[in-house]
Amino acid sequence: MKIAVPALVSAALVALSCAAADVSRHAPVKVILDSDMIEDYDDMGAISILHALADAGECEILATVSCTRDNGSVAAIEICNAYYGRPDIPVGCSKLPSAVKGAPGGHRKFLDLQKKYPGKFKYANSEQAPDAVDVYRRVLAAQPDGSVVICSLGFLSNMRALLESKGDAHSPLDGKSLVAKKVKKWVAMACFYPEGHEYNSDGDAVSSKIALRDWPTPIVITDFQYGRHLYAGRAIVESDIENSPVKDVFKADLAPREAINPRSWDQLAGHPSWDESAVLIAVRGEESYFAIENGFYEMLDDHGHDIWRYDPKSPSCRVLQKTPRIEVGKIIDELMLRKPKTPWGKR
């Protein structure tokens, strides 16, 4: 059954979102999005709110790349870009040998998008897409110094490969120097507090260790604990929006209301919003809706075991709750419900 979001509720959510972010005084944030788009679907919620924020003039999307290989991840990204009227955003795929490969069972919902939206993507298999590192280097080299925010929602393969890249036609700088020159900060959904294992950190654990150790600019981490009980997505599933790849993906996996119980991953408000929180941080800042604790995550071995090191002098941090999660979830829902300014069209 389709349920239209009441106008009064929608207006209240718009007011809440606008009140929290007065963007009139700020230039759009330049963002590169790095997603796994392989099993969990908060990646699709994250890319949708990034486009909604771009429609509002809050950010400029420089590139959208995949950190997974040999699957439909890049095509899913392309379809979402096309839905929001930005089919020409550069895309790429990790070519690192250690990068996560394949299409597990949960990937089916992303592959199904190719059947529903033919002609809206170039790369049915992500292996066909350009090397993500080449995309990073080309895009970064063309930007002003210290201006780019990288937002990673998945495995850290591309972060490592970028750091280890050599000078090329785009820039004579090696990867670490190029990042230090062009990147303002890296926002990552990764790690488990105070120590343990987390999906994104574990997938390509050696790359996680190298990337977190060697990254030369501040890192802002939204870890497992923050996003676990931040829920959104039910609103778009029960909306009257049609022909939306975002709704398609959420509808395919979100647990129905009658299946919800205190122990289920999904709750009445929707799915845990790990990745959406990373996009909010990347665009609106880590102190917009969040408290911060300075320090850094360290990988203790080559198998994904991490530990949080509190350090008040560190330029890096992890985020904690400031605005109640239920209110942040409403902000995410309101952004996901925004229809594209030019759906399926070029700007």
Side-chain angles (χ1 to χ4, degrees):
M1 180 175 67
K2 295 179 181 177
I3 302 175
V5 177
L8 185 60
V9 174
S10 180
L13 292 178
V14 171
L16 176 62
S17 182
C18 292
D22 176 10
V23 300
S24 61
R25 296 169 295 151
H26 304 286
V29 178
K30 296 175 178 289
V31 180
I32 298 176
L33 190 73
D34 194 303
S35 167
D36 56 76
M37 205 72 76
I38 188 169
E39 275 198 287
D40 206 352
Y41 53 101
D42 50 337
D43 297 75
M44 187 59 80
I47 195 170
S48 75
I49 71 171
L50 183 65
H51 277 284
L53 291 166
D55 278 350
E58 295 189 45
C59 67
E60 177 187 358
I61 307 173
L62 301 178
T64 49
V65 300
S66 170
C67 58
T68 64
R69 304 177 54 185
D70 195 22
N71 54 29
S73 59
V74 174
I77 291 169
E78 290 183 284
I79 290 167
C80 197
N81 289 347
Y83 172 63
Y84 282 94
R86 297 182 178 89
D88 297 327
I89 292 176
V91 297
C93 167
S94 177
K95 307 297 183 182
L96 197 67
S98 62
V100 174
K101 296 180 65 176
H107 191 65
R108 172 54 53 188
K109 56 187 170 289
F110 297 114
L111 294 175
D112 286 345
L113 294 178
Q114 297 186 28
K115 299 176 183 177
K116 185 172 181 180
Y117 303 107
K120 303 300 183 183
F121 57 92
K122 295 179 182 177
Y123 307 111
N125 188 298
S126 56
E127 295 294 283
Q128 302 165 346
D131 186 340
V133 170
D134 186 70
V135 174
Y136 267 109
R137 291 188 59 86
R138 172 165 53 86
V139 169
L140 287 175
Q143 299 305 314
D145 293 354
S147 66
V148 179
V149 175
I150 294 176
C151 182
S152 70
L153 312 177
F155 314 114
L156 308 188
S157 310
N158 286 330
M159 303 300 103
R160 172 201 177 175
L162 174 58
L163 290 178
E164 294 180 343
S165 64
K166 306 300 182 184
D168 58 11
H170 305 306
S171 171
L173 299 175
D174 62 39
K176 189 172 182 178
S177 299
L178 183 62
V179 168
K181 183 177 178 65
K182 299 293 183 176
V183 175
K184 180 179 180 180
K185 63 184 174 185
W186 168 24
V187 178
M189 193 281 116
C191 299
F192 191 95
Y193 178 84
E195 68 174 286
H197 290 264
E198 185 274 330
Y199 181 78
N200 288 349
S201 307
D202 279 4
D204 182 359
V206 172
S207 291
S208 297
K209 182 177 182 179
I210 294 170
L212 291 171
R213 181 192 67 204
D214 295 343
W215 195 262
T217 72
I219 306 172
V220 182
I221 298 284
T222 175
D223 52 34
F224 176 88
Q225 278 72 14
Y226 180 79
R228 172 63 186 93
H229 298 293
L230 169 61
Y231 300 104
R234 181 80 60 189
I236 192 169
V237 169
E238 296 181 350
S239 74
D240 60 359
I241 293 172
E242 296 181 353
N243 294 318
S244 161
V246 182
K247 180 177 179 177
D248 294 338
V249 168
F250 270 77
K251 188 174 181 179
D253 264 24
L254 183 66
R257 288 179 175 270
E258 60 271 20
I260 299 301
N261 63 68
R263 299 179 119 187
S264 60
W265 280 105
D266 294 342
Q267 290 296 307
L268 291 177
H271 187 64
S273 299
W274 293 286
D275 292 349
E276 293 92 337
S277 69
V279 168
L280 285 179
I281 294 164
V283 177
R284 292 183 170 172
E286 56 268 31
E287 297 190 65
S288 54
Y289 312 113
F290 315 92
I292 63 170
E293 180 178 77
N294 291 90
F296 58 94
Y297 270 106
E298 177 184 353
M299 308 305 293
L300 298 178
D301 55 31
D302 291 339
H303 306 288
H305 187 184
D306 70 64
I307 188 168
W308 172 250
R309 305 286 193 189
Y310 169 70
D311 180 358
K313 296 182 179 180
S314 173
S316 298
C317 64
R318 62 183 289 262
V319 301
L320 307 167
Q321 176 173 292
K322 181 175 72 175
T323 302
R325 283 177 172 82
I326 190 170
E327 300 301 330
V328 178
K330 290 177 182 178
I331 291 166
I332 292 169
D333 273 330
E334 188 275 317
L335 290 167
M336 288 176 63
L337 286 167
R338 292 186 190 181
K339 296 180 179 180
K341 285 187 174 180
T342 55
W344 304 113
K346 290 188 177 182
R347 293 164 188 268

